[in-house]
């Protein structure tokens, strides 16, 4: 049964509600220095920690090293034990904050898109950490965000004036110990489940790779090929260059066409089916092209990451999409979508573009057209595609169930933190 404190009082803050009667409620600036500027004198050839914002996750900070002489203005200075909290969307809402760990010279330089909080006397840094994870605090901060477009920032005024519950120091310690224990166990469970998802994902890729490169007969005889990424295929399969198999379409946009997007998970669908916000709206569609349901669509810049699939809708897409149709009835787009995705997943597409910036490619149709591809008999292509759909749908269902469990436990963790740091649950 959940324990409660004997008496409660109105905090005077809508999102905070009632707090235990003997607790205080103060602005953050009363219990922490916000964005302190004090720095250390460091030798020019020494190294300190450096952490871009992408290396900040909830309770995790993974700084690298940076030479003092290479430091540039605009970075955020922080010290061991400070709390760093993201300012921007969506990082702030996701609770991207951490306590600075042991770093070189005891200090660290991080992205200027971070707030720094240094706990004052009689306030435990980890109590502040959990306070900032309170969903009420996060929602209140998000409501103050300013900026244009998809990237907005929490105001410095909020960072200073936001209300914080303030229990006695001994109760802060009890709260921190309780949450460290409970959250640690939850995080271990989540990590285990995420590993299961990762292993299922690897299993799914093996199922696809084995089926599209070897067929469904485990005893089939194999022969060597002229395919750079595939040394052998079943003896009865042919190989052809893609230019003899596919046409590249360039159809004019039709009235009423909506945007079709090619996603990295292989789904090609109307953009509105996946999301309605967070994208950049084009002002000129004159260079767009019509896409028909059933077309093989390959994203030139993202094919290396798996962006290729068969469109499930009519619509229009950007010129960066290669829209392909078979030259004969012996070519099945669903089978070759798996082939293109496999070439991306196994690194072959990326290997073609050593001069392109890291983790990018320009996989144009001209390049695709010159590649040799396996060509099973059309009936076998259909059997392979159906087999993959059946097997991967079952794996996807398992993954979805585990991800739902993970989301449920994360929600429970969030509620637990919020209830404990606001005194709705007594742990001491």
């Amino acid at each position: 049964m959940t324990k409660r404190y004997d008496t409660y009082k109105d905090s005077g803050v809508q999102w905070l509600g009632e707090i235990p009667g003997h607790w205080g409620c103060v602005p953050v600036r009363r219990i922490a220095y916000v964005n302190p500027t004090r720095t250390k004198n460091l030798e020019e050839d020494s190294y300190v920690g450096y952490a871009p914002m992408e290396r900040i996750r909830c309770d995790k900070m993974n700084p690298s090293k940076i030479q003092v002489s290479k430091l540039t203005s605009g970075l955020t200075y922080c010290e061991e034990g400070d709390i760093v909290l993201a300012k921007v969307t969506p990082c702030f809402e996701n609770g991207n904050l951490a306590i600075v760990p042991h770093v070189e010279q005891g200090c660290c330089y991080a992205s200027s898109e971070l707030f720094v909080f240094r706990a004052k006397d009689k306030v435990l840094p980890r109590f502040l950490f959990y306070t900032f994870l309170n969903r009420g605090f996060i929602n209140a901060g998000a409501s103050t965000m300013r900026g244009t477009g998809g990237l907005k920032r929490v105001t410095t005024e909020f960072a200073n004036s936001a209300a914080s519950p303030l229990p006695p120091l001994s109760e802060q310690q009890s709260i921190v110990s309780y949450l460290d224990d409970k959250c640690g166990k939850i995080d271990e469970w989540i990590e285990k489940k995420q590993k299961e998802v990762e292993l299922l994902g690897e299993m799914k890729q093996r199922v696809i790779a084995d089926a599209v490169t070897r067929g469904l007969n485990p005893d089939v005889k194999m022969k060597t090929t002229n395919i750079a990424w595939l040394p052998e295929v079943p003896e009865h399969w042919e190989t052809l260059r893609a230019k003899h198999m596919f046409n590249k379409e360039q159809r004019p946009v039709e009235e009423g066409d909506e945007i079709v997007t090619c996603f990295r998970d292989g789904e090609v669908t109307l953009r509105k089916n996946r999301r309605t916000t967070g994208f950049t709206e084009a002002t000129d569609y004159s260079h767009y092209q019509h896409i028909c349901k059933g077309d093989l669509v390959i994203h030139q810049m993202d094919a290396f990451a798996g962006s290729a699939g068969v469109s499930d809708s009519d619509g229009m897409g950007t010129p960066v999409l290669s829209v392909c149709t078979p030259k004969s009835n012996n070519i099945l787009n669903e089978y070759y979508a798996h082939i293109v995705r496999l070439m991306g997943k196994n690194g072959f597409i990326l290997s073609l573009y050593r001069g392109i910036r890291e983790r990018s490619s320009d996989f144009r149709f001209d390049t695709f057209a010159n590649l040799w591809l396996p060509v099973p008999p059309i009936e076998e292509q259909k059997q392979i595609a159906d087999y993959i759909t059946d097997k991967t749908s079952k794996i996807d269902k398992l993954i979805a169930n585990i991800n739902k469990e993970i989301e449920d436990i994360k929600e429970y963790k969030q509620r637990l933190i919020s209830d404990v740091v606001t005194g709705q649950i007594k742990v001491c």
Side-chain angles (χ1 to χ4, degrees):
M1 183 176 177
T2 300
K3 293 173 63 178
R4 297 268 292 170
Y5 287 88
D6 295 333
T7 60
Y8 286 83
K9 64 183 179 183
D10 185 1
S11 66
V13 179
Q14 184 176 3
W15 61 264
L16 190 53
E18 290 189 333
I19 59 175
H22 64 292
W23 285 21
C25 180
V26 298
V28 170
R29 64 176 177 272
R30 289 271 304 275
I31 56 177
Y33 300 100
V34 183
N35 293 334
T37 56
R38 178 166 56 86
T39 62
K40 293 184 177 180
N41 292 322
L42 300 167
E43 297 180 6
E44 281 292 305
D45 60 349
S46 63
Y47 284 81
V48 293
Y50 170 68
M53 192 169 64
E54 57 268 22
R55 292 200 177 185
I56 308 296
R57 292 292 183 268
C58 180
D59 210 12
K60 291 181 175 63
M61 181 175 180
N62 182 27
S64 56
K65 296 180 181 180
I66 187 172
Q67 195 169 11
V68 172
S69 59
K70 294 183 179 179
L71 288 174
T72 60
S73 60
L75 295 179
T76 297
Y77 174 84
C78 45
E79 296 181 349
E80 290 177 8
D82 288 349
I83 298 171
V84 289
L85 171 64
K87 301 177 183 179
V88 301
T89 56
C91 297
F92 177 82
E93 296 99 325
N94 290 338
N96 283 18
L97 74 155
I99 297 180
V100 179
H102 175 72
V103 286
E104 297 287 330
Q105 307 287 338
C107 64
C108 186
Y109 287 82
S111 167
S112 59
E113 298 290 10
L114 298 168
F115 287 120
V116 176
F117 299 90
R118 187 168 300 153
K120 294 185 178 181
D121 292 341
K122 299 184 179 179
V123 179
L124 298 178
R126 285 200 70 77
F127 177 77
L128 269 182
F129 168 82
Y130 284 120
T131 296
F132 295 154
L133 280 178
N134 177 9
R135 180 50 60 184
F137 175 88
I138 292 172
N139 291 341
S143 70
T144 74
M145 287 183 169
R146 300 290 182 268
T148 58
L151 199 62
K152 298 182 180 181
R153 293 168 177 79
V154 176
T155 64
T156 302
E157 179 184 1
F158 174 81
N160 278 280
S161 62
S164 172
L166 183 61
L169 188 60
S170 61
E171 290 185 38
Q172 291 180 43
Q173 184 61 63
S174 297
I175 288 170
V176 167
S177 297
Y178 177 86
L179 288 177
D180 280 350
D181 177 63
K182 295 295 184 183
C183 293
K185 291 176 180 176
I186 290 172
D187 290 342
E188 287 180 7
W189 184 90
I190 290 174
E191 186 176 352
K192 178 182 176 182
K193 289 295 180 179
Q194 288 173 333
K195 182 63 176 177
E196 290 180 20
V197 169
E198 181 181 333
L199 292 174
L200 284 169
E202 293 173 359
M203 179 191 299
K204 177 179 174 179
Q205 292 306 313
R206 286 197 301 272
V207 166
I208 295 171
D210 288 346
V212 299
T213 60
R214 301 183 65 87
L216 305 181
N217 179 5
D219 300 320
V220 68
K221 291 183 178 181
M222 306 294 285
K223 66 179 180 182
T224 58
T225 76
N226 50 359
I227 301 174
W229 57 274
L230 185 59
E232 58 180 15
V233 297
E235 193 173 51
H236 64 286
W237 288 15
E238 297 181 22
T239 60
L240 284 174
R241 288 189 188 272
K243 64 184 177 183
H244 299 306
M245 302 164 63
F246 295 97
N247 293 312
K248 183 180 186 297
E249 303 294 342
Q250 189 64 51
R251 312 182 188 101
V253 171
E254 298 182 4
E255 185 176 354
D257 276 352
E258 298 182 70
I259 302 295
V260 169
T261 301
C262 184
F263 294 92
R264 286 188 170 189
D265 60 6
E267 185 175 29
V268 183
T269 189
L270 293 174
R271 181 174 63 186
K272 68 180 183 182
N273 292 340
R274 291 282 291 257
R275 56 191 174 100
T276 57
T277 60
F279 52 80
T280 301
E281 195 69 61
T283 58
D284 180 11
Y285 294 103
S286 61
H287 298 298
Y288 275 53
Q289 56 186 320
H290 180 70
I291 296 173
C292 293
K293 181 178 180 180
D295 286 344
L296 173 62
V297 180
I298 304 171
H299 195 299
Q300 294 175 12
M301 303 304 294
D302 265 4
F304 79 93
S307 293
V310 176
S311 180
D312 64 13
S313 307
D314 290 348
M316 63 177 176
T318 73
V320 79
L321 301 179
S322 293
V323 180
C324 309
T325 56
K327 286 189 172 185
S328 76
N329 293 329
N330 293 321
I331 301 300
L332 184 70
N333 279 350
E334 286 76 8
Y335 171 81
Y336 285 97
H338 290 302
I339 288 290
V340 176
R341 283 176 53 75
L342 179 58
M343 289 192 296
K345 294 291 186 179
N346 67 17
F348 175 71
I349 290 176
L350 200 61
S351 73
L352 301 173
Y353 299 96
R354 295 298 186 188
I356 304 295
R357 63 183 173 83
E358 185 179 2
R359 300 303 294 168
S360 181
S361 67
D362 189 7
F363 190 58
R364 302 189 183 193
F365 183 79
D366 290 346
T367 302
F368 174 59
N370 282 315
L371 297 179
W372 289 89
L373 302 177
V375 187
I378 184 61
E379 287 303 320
E380 194 168 353
Q381 292 179 43
K382 293 176 182 178
Q383 291 169 4
I384 291 170
D386 289 344
Y387 171 84
I388 290 173
T389 297
D390 177 62
K391 292 295 184 181
T392 59
S393 64
K394 293 175 181 177
I395 295 174
D396 286 341
K397 186 175 181 179
L398 289 173
I399 290 174
N401 288 340
I402 296 175
N403 282 333
K404 179 63 166 59
E405 292 178 6
I406 292 173
E407 289 307 309
D408 287 345
I409 198 66
K410 284 182 176 179
E411 185 177 340
Y412 166 75
K413 176 184 174 182
Q414 181 65 67
R415 289 199 307 271
L416 179 67
I417 291 171
S418 296
D419 286 346
V420 171
V421 298
T422 61
Q424 307 312 303
I425 296 176
K426 183 179 180 180
V427 298
C428 54

